């Protein structure tokens, strides 16, 4: 009969649905096999309960409808006039059908109860949560949220299923699991007293044992750590092998210089974010096609320096490896790490910084003090401070991280606000230097530019150069010569690094066309005895007027293709001329051909210089933030902080030198520090006013360099009315405190003084004609601008 078939079909469908829904749950691995199994099981548990309840309800409804059908069956009116079309026995259910349906419903109900008990026991005994769930009862009076938990608990009640990481930590939708998570995982409140008595909390793993760092004498292990699979990694490994002997000799010299000084071995993670697939990894495919190599040169040298200094390294170029090393819970990054961060320092780039923030969740803010960002062009405080950048129009895609400015490490010493990381160039021994001098071809020039687009529109001064010199290029091409390269240029195509070095050792001139900006190649050319000729930019290029710099977190004005070469090296090795002035350009070429120069390499770009610099950073850029974002200024034994000086008429360590014209300086002989630390020497106070042209800075004019680090109470030195009036002889008719990256400053013509309100905005970058800005200065080691004389 139709009714019987219909009812049996419903019953069969129900049983199939039951088996399909629950089969996976009972066949899966037990809870706790892996973090990702935990996520599936916990989420599936809640779904299974709902399925069983819905099936039980469905069968109950079916029972009620069958009962109605049975009652209608006994009604005489039901069959009047219909017996001919619908025989009476067609609607008469089988005698045992109702009993079978009742049995199915009872079985489903029993199964639901048993599965619910199994799932509860799994949660109680599982390892996904923080500690045991047994006896998880909220005592009387605690079922309502305490005040400190109200808002977070309300959020979790609405959103706890939005990220699987909550289930990983044991959240199952109950009030009890909310309270435990918020007090033990995210620490919104102190531990719950009743949990202390009923649950044994998982203690954090013991800290890794501290051992002394020892200089290494073999780079083979580093090459294994870097790994394989990418052209970028192959390039970096080739570079490390090529410079291996120079690195090892430099490490031995620095070891002797430090005279057995004790150094803790640091656990360091190096995550090269721009090489991950998630960031696009645009560099690896271009390595063999003449693409930009400056970043990979710098990363290779950073790896070599950290390894030779004896630190424990982990290297990652994939997001999966990063998550594994950090201890990221499964999910979308809304939860903290599963255990304390095992690394003292993390070196990464802007891509890696974004990936870390996305996946570390709340832990990123806790551990951001340990991050060092390799940042080619630098990040100024105005772009770094999120609130200020948003309000004042300095927001870009690469800034607003609220880090200490010294956590950003640049390729060149662009600004005193950031730390200068640098790279290395190959050093020549005495024999090689003599060979170069005797084999130079005075009429040979090499063009700086491996991409054909760089040559476009340069025909005019290439024609002038061709009158005096044979021009060589290293432009990449596959089959046909690039049409942008004139026929009179001898193009070698893309050369391996060793062959390119040989070409530079023969050439007299290395000429730049204005791009790429601030790369390593000009230093390599100068180190191989070339003269570097570059274009002067008028007006200077910056994020305000040039597409390349637009969006970068700096307002720095670039006066030439390579400002470091222009300002720190200069003539006779570096010539900067106006390429739009044909007469000036041609006169420079004639003079360069007659000028004899020796190979030259600044000490800070040697292997020893970079090892020395990174060693100093690791030893002194230390500390964790506590209380305020970056802690308080420490007081060393026998010394006083500036905040405790009261009305002391002057600094405790001597008088203030007065420069010609009455301008005083505050010297700042200390290494740039990211977080407060308990080492270093108090400064010799002096202050200066930054100018637009770095060569005219008062610091530079007196053999000093600017230093904006808020170490030793910069706020109480250059940033206090008593300093301005008492020590700098500045009259302040009015004094204002404001959040402004150009402060502290003085408007001398109206006797108005402006002091800095926000520590993260202390800066020596920027220029304004309205103010005489105040910025500390410090001394520095010869050839090592990053370090003061006594800071090694």
């Amino acid at each position: 009969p139709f009714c019987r078939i219909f009812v049996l079909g419903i019953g069969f469908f129900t049983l199939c649905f039951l088996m399909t829904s629950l089969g996976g749950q009972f066949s899966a691995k037990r809870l706790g096999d892996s973090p990702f199994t935990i996520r599936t099981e916990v989420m599936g548990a809640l779904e299974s309960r709902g399925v069983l309840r819905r099936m039980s309800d469905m069968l109950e409804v079916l029972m009620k409808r069958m009962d109605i059908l049975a009652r209608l069956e006994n009604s005489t009116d039901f069959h009047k006039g219909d017996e001919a079309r619908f025989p009476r026995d067609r609607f008469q259910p089988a005698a045992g059908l109702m009993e079978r349906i009742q049995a199915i419903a009872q079985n489903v109900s029993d199964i639901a109860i048993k599965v619910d008990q199994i799932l509860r026991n799994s949660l109680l005994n599982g390892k996904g949560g923080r500690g045991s769930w047994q006896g998880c009862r909220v005592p009387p009076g605690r079922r309502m949220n305490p005040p400190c938990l109200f808002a977070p608990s309300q959020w979790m009640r609405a959103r706890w299923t939005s990220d699987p990481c909550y289930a990983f930590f044991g959240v199952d939708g109950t009030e009890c699991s909310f309270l435990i998570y918020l007090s033990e995982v995210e620490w919104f409140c102190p531990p719950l007293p009743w949990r202390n008595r009923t649950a044994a909390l998982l203690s954090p793993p013991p800290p890794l044992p501290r051992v002394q760092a020892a200089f290494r004498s073999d780079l083979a292990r580093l090459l294994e750590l870097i790994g394989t699979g990418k052209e970028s990694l192959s390039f970096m490994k080739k570079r490390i092998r090529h410079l291996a002997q120079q690195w090892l000799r430099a490490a031995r010299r620095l070891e002797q210089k430090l005279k057995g000084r004790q150094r803790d071995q640091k656990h360091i993670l190096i995550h090269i974010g721009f090489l991950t697939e998630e960031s696009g990894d645009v560099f690896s495919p271009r390595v063999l096609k003449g693409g930009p190599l400056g970043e990979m040169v710098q990363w290779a040298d950073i790896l070599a320096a950290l390894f030779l200094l004896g630190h424990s390294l982990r290297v990652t170029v994939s997001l999966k490896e990063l998550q594994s090393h950090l201890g990221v819970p499964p999910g979308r990054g809304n939860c903290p790490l599963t255990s304390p961060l095992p690394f003292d320092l993390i070196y990464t780039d802007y891509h890696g910084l974004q990936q870390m923030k996305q996946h570390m969740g709340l832990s990123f803010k806790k551990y951001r003090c340990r991050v060092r960002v390799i940042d080619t062009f630098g990040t100024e405080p105005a772009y770094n401070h999120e609130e200020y950048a948003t309000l004042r129009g300095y927001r870009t895609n690469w800034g607003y991280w609220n880090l200490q400015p010294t956590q950003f490490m640049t390729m060149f010493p662009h600004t005193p606000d950031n730390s200068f990381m640098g790279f290395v160039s190959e050093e020549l021994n005495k024999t090689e230097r003599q060979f170069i001098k005797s084999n130079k071809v005075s009429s040979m020039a090499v063009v700086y530019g491996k991409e054909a687009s760089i040559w476009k529109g340069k025909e005019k001064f290439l024609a002038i150069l061709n009158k005096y010199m044979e021009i060589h290029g290293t432009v990449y091409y596959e089959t046909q010569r690039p049409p942008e390269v004139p026929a009179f240029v001898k193009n070698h195509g893309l050369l391996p690094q060793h062959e390119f070095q040989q070409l530079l050792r023969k050439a007299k001139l290395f000429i730049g066309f204005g791009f790429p900006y601030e790369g390593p190649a000009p230093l390599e050319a100068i180190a191989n005895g070339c003269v570097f000729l570059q274009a002067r930019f008028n007006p200077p290029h910056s994020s305000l007027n040039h597409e390349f710099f637009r969006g970068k977190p700096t307002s720095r004005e670039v006066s030439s293709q390579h400002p470091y070469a222009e300002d720190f090296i200069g003539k006779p090795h570096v010539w900067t001329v106006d390429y739009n002035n044909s007469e000036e350009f041609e006169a420079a070429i004639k003079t360069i051909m007659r000028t004899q120069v020796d190979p030259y390499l600044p000490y800070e770009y040697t292997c020893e210089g970079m090892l020395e610099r990174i060693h100093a950073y690791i030893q002194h850029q230390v500390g964790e933030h506590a209380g305020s974002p970056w802690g308080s200024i420490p007081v060393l034994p026998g010394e006083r902080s500036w905040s405790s000086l009261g009305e002391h008429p002057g600094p405790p360590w001597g008088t203030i030198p007065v420069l010609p014209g009455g301008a005083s300086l505050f010297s700042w002989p200390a290494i740039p520090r990211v977080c407060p630390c308990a080492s270093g020497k108090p400064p010799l106070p002096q202050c200066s006013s930054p100018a637009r042209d770095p060569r005219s800075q008062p610091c530079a004019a007196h053999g000093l360099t600017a230093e904006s680090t808020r170490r030793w109470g910069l706020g109480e030195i250059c940033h206090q009315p008593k300093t301005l009036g008492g020590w700098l002889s500045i009259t302040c008719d009015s004094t204002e405190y404001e959040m402004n990256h150009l402060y502290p400053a003085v408007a001398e013509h109206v006797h108005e003084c402006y002091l800095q309100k926000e520590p993260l905005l202390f800066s020596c970058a920027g220029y304004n004609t309205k103010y005489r800005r105040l910025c500390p200065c410090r001394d520095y080691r010869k050839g090592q601008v990053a370090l003061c004389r006594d800071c090694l």
Side-chain angles (χ1 to χ4, degrees):
F2 177 82
C3 181
R4 183 184 305 172
I5 294 172
F6 173 79
V7 173
L8 290 174
I10 290 292
F12 179 74
F13 169 79
T14 303
L15 288 174
C16 291
F17 185 66
L18 172 65
M19 295 173 65
T20 302
S21 301
L22 297 180
Q25 298 299 323
F26 291 109
S27 64
K29 297 179 182 179
R30 61 182 177 84
L31 272 168
D33 284 354
S34 74
F36 299 95
T37 303
I38 292 168
R39 176 185 65 180
T40 304
E41 296 292 347
V42 174
M43 298 302 291
L46 300 173
E47 292 178 3
S48 300
R49 294 176 184 174
V51 168
L52 290 169
R53 292 193 189 100
R54 289 194 298 272
M55 291 177 61
S56 182
D57 293 342
M58 185 189 305
L59 288 170
E60 186 177 350
V61 171
L62 182 61
M63 286 283 296
K64 290 180 180 178
R65 292 182 178 177
M66 289 299 298
D67 187 54
I68 294 172
L69 186 63
R71 287 198 301 271
L72 288 174
E73 184 183 21
N74 296 325
S75 171
T76 55
D77 294 337
F78 179 79
H79 301 285
K80 284 182 180 180
D82 290 331
E83 290 185 6
R85 284 188 301 146
F86 300 103
R88 183 184 180 98
D89 59 355
R90 187 173 181 178
F91 290 93
Q92 193 172 16
L97 183 58
M98 290 292 293
E99 295 178 1
R100 292 176 185 176
I101 294 176
Q102 288 176 343
I104 291 173
Q106 185 61 46
N107 288 337
V108 170
S109 179
D110 293 341
I111 291 173
I113 294 172
K114 291 179 180 179
V115 169
D116 191 75
Q117 292 173 348
I118 292 171
L119 293 173
R120 286 181 179 274
N121 291 333
S122 297
L123 285 173
L124 292 173
N125 300 321
K127 299 179 181 179
R130 299 266 301 190
S132 174
W133 286 83
Q134 192 170 1
C136 185
R137 298 183 301 275
V138 181
R142 296 298 297 273
R143 193 167 295 277
M144 293 299 293
N145 291 327
C148 63
L149 290 172
F150 181 75
S153 183
Q154 288 292 330
W155 186 94
M156 290 203 68
R157 188 173 290 108
R159 297 289 304 276
W160 71 273
T161 58
S162 64
D163 194 323
C165 70
Y166 296 115
F168 170 80
F169 281 109
V171 177
D172 62 355
T174 64
E175 187 81 4
C176 176
S177 66
F178 293 159
L179 293 175
I180 292 174
Y181 177 85
L182 293 171
S183 64
E184 296 176 10
V185 179
E186 293 195 6
W187 311 289
F188 278 100
C189 283
L192 302 171
W194 53 275
R195 277 285 287 176
N196 291 339
R197 293 192 300 269
T198 60
L201 298 178
L202 292 175
S203 59
L208 295 172
R210 284 294 176 193
V211 298
Q212 290 300 304
F215 283 91
R216 292 189 172 99
S217 57
D218 188 0
L219 287 165
R221 175 57 183 154
L222 173 61
L223 300 178
E224 294 177 7
L225 287 172
I226 293 175
T228 58
K230 291 179 179 288
E231 290 294 339
S232 299
L233 301 180
S234 299
F235 172 85
M236 289 191 281
K237 291 166 72 172
K238 288 178 183 177
R239 176 175 174 82
I240 292 172
R241 290 192 193 99
H242 179 69
L243 296 175
Q245 294 305 313
Q246 294 195 22
W247 278 117
L248 294 174
R249 287 195 297 268
R252 288 193 293 268
R253 289 195 297 266
L254 181 58
E255 184 176 15
Q256 295 172 359
K257 191 182 298 185
L258 295 177
K259 299 177 181 178
R261 192 178 305 171
Q262 297 295 300
R263 299 180 298 119
D264 283 343
Q265 185 186 66
K266 305 293 183 181
H267 299 278
I268 300 176
L269 174 66
I270 297 99
H271 176 61
I272 310 177
F274 73 84
L275 293 183
T276 61
E277 298 300 329
E278 290 75 12
S279 67
D281 188 13
V282 298
F283 284 88
S284 291
R286 301 176 68 185
V287 169
L288 301 180
K289 298 181 180 181
L293 304 179
E295 288 88 347
M296 285 176 283
V297 164
Q298 188 180 31
W299 275 108
D301 297 344
I302 290 170
L303 285 165
L306 291 172
F307 183 81
L308 287 174
L309 287 170
H311 299 292
S312 174
L313 307 184
R314 291 290 182 273
V315 183
T316 71
V317 291
S318 77
L319 192 56
K320 185 177 180 180
E321 289 178 331
L322 174 68
Q323 292 174 311
S324 174
H325 287 309
L326 294 177
V328 174
R332 302 182 181 93
N334 290 312
C335 300
L337 302 183
T338 57
S339 60
L341 188 69
F343 300 103
D344 302 298
L345 291 170
I346 299 176
Y347 287 84
T348 188
D349 52 27
Y350 261 123
H351 294 283
L353 194 65
Q354 183 64 52
Q355 292 167 353
M356 288 171 56
K357 183 178 182 181
Q358 179 182 354
H359 293 278
M360 289 178 70
L362 296 173
S363 298
F364 178 79
K365 188 172 183 180
K366 178 180 179 182
Y367 293 116
R368 64 182 177 181
C369 186
R370 305 187 189 185
V371 175
R372 304 293 181 267
V373 185
I374 307 305
D375 176 13
T376 303
F377 293 97
T379 298
E380 294 175 4
Y383 297 82
N384 171 60
H385 193 285
E386 183 175 17
E387 178 186 357
Y388 185 82
T390 303
L391 293 176
R392 301 294 185 92
Y394 290 99
R395 183 101 181 204
T396 70
N397 292 333
W398 305 107
Y400 63 85
W401 287 94
N402 288 328
L403 301 178
Q404 283 289 323
T406 44
Q407 288 179 260
F408 298 99
M409 311 191 109
T410 59
M411 184 171 283
F412 294 94
H414 303 305
T415 167
D417 297 329
N418 300 149
S419 297
F420 162 46
M421 171 59 77
F423 57 94
V424 304
S425 289
E426 187 171 358
E427 297 177 73
L428 304 177
N429 57 39
K430 185 178 294 186
T431 303
E432 291 170 328
R433 293 167 66 91
Q434 188 59 43
F435 177 82
I436 288 174
K437 289 180 65 176
S438 59
N439 287 274
K440 277 290 178 184
V441 180
S442 60
S443 59
M444 177 178 174
V446 176
V447 174
Y448 181 18
K450 293 178 285 188
E451 295 185 14
S453 59
I454 297 175
W455 295 66
K456 189 175 182 180
K458 308 302 188 300
E459 296 83 1
K460 182 178 179 180
F461 46 81
L462 277 173
I464 297 174
L465 179 63
N466 188 48
K467 293 194 304 182
Y468 301 95
M469 289 187 166
E470 180 182 82
I471 306 175
H472 294 251
T474 57
V475 182
Y476 170 80
Y477 66 95
E478 292 183 356
T479 55
Q480 296 182 348
R481 180 187 177 93
E484 295 86 351
V485 181
F488 55 76
V489 174
K490 185 176 181 180
N491 185 31
H492 299 264
L494 190 64
L495 293 177
Q497 187 67 15
H498 177 69
E499 294 183 26
F500 181 65
Q501 294 275 359
Q502 296 302 318
L503 189 65
L504 292 177
R505 292 183 178 187
K506 291 177 62 179
K508 175 72 173 185
L509 177 67
F510 188 63
I511 181 171
F513 289 162
F515 188 84
Y517 296 100
E518 301 176 306
L523 265 66
E524 294 178 351
I526 296 168
N528 282 285
C530 291
V531 173
F532 177 53
L533 177 64
Q534 62 173 347
R536 180 185 298 113
F537 300 149
N538 188 19
H541 294 178
S542 71
S543 59
L544 301 177
N545 63 10
H546 201 274
E547 187 62 32
F548 178 82
F549 290 100
R550 190 164 290 121
K552 291 181 170 56
T554 173
S555 298
R556 183 167 56 93
E557 295 182 336
V558 178
S559 59
S560 63
Q561 182 175 354
H562 207 290
Y564 176 87
E566 179 185 7
D567 298 331
F568 285 79
I569 300 177
K571 292 181 179 179
H573 302 279
V574 179
W575 288 65
T576 306
V577 301
D578 182 3
Y579 279 23
N580 295 318
N581 187 327
S582 299
E583 294 180 357
E584 182 183 356
F585 180 77
E586 189 168 0
I589 294 173
K590 293 178 181 179
T591 305
I592 289 170
M593 292 181 68
R594 296 192 302 265
T595 305
Q596 296 294 322
V597 296
D598 293 330
Y600 173 73
L601 179 62
Y603 174 75
E604 54 199 358
Y605 284 96
T606 65
C607 292
E608 185 177 354
M610 187 166 184
L611 281 171
E612 183 180 280
R613 190 164 57 250
I614 293 183
H615 155 74
Y617 285 148
I618 290 177
Q619 292 301 113
H620 297 283
Q621 285 187 333
V622 296
E624 293 286 348
H625 51 81
S628 64
W630 301 103
S632 58
I633 298 168
V635 181
L636 302 189
E639 298 172 351
R640 294 174 293 174
S641 70
W642 278 93
S643 58
S644 67
L645 292 178
E647 297 301 322
H648 194 282
W653 41 78
T655 59
I656 302 172
V658 179
L659 302 183
S664 297
L665 295 174
F666 276 115
S667 172
W668 203 253
I671 301 169
R673 289 169 171 81
V674 171
C675 305
C677 55
S679 63
K681 298 173 65 177
L684 173 62
Q686 300 178 358
C687 273
S688 78
S689 174
R692 180 184 295 273
D693 187 348
R695 292 167 295 184
S696 64
Q697 296 279 8
C699 292
H702 295 274
L704 304 171
T705 186
E707 174 61 87
S708 60
T709 308
R710 191 176 179 260
R711 169 73 174 144
W712 287 101
L714 181 56
E716 288 78 21
I717 300 178
C718 288
H719 302 258
Q720 286 291 338
K722 65 181 180 183
T723 304
L724 300 176
W727 297 347
L728 300 183
S729 300
I730 295 174
T731 302
C732 298
D733 291 341
S734 64
T735 303
E736 297 180 10
Y737 287 84
E738 187 179 327
M739 191 168 69
N740 191 312
H741 72 286
L742 296 175
Y743 295 169
V746 177
E748 294 183 293
H749 61 290
V750 292
H751 303 294
E752 292 179 352
C753 299
Y754 307 93
L755 300 180
Q756 182 58 257
K757 186 178 180 180
E758 171 53 57
L760 283 181
L761 286 175
F762 287 137
S763 174
C764 288
Y767 173 81
N768 194 302
T769 56
K770 296 180 181 179
Y771 311 121
R772 174 190 170 191
R773 292 196 57 206
L774 302 177
C775 179
C777 301
R778 62 166 171 84
D779 61 20
Y780 56 92
R781 297 171 64 85
K782 184 178 180 180
Q784 186 73 288
V785 71
L787 307 182
C788 73
R789 292 171 189 163
D790 300 322
C791 288
L792 184 58

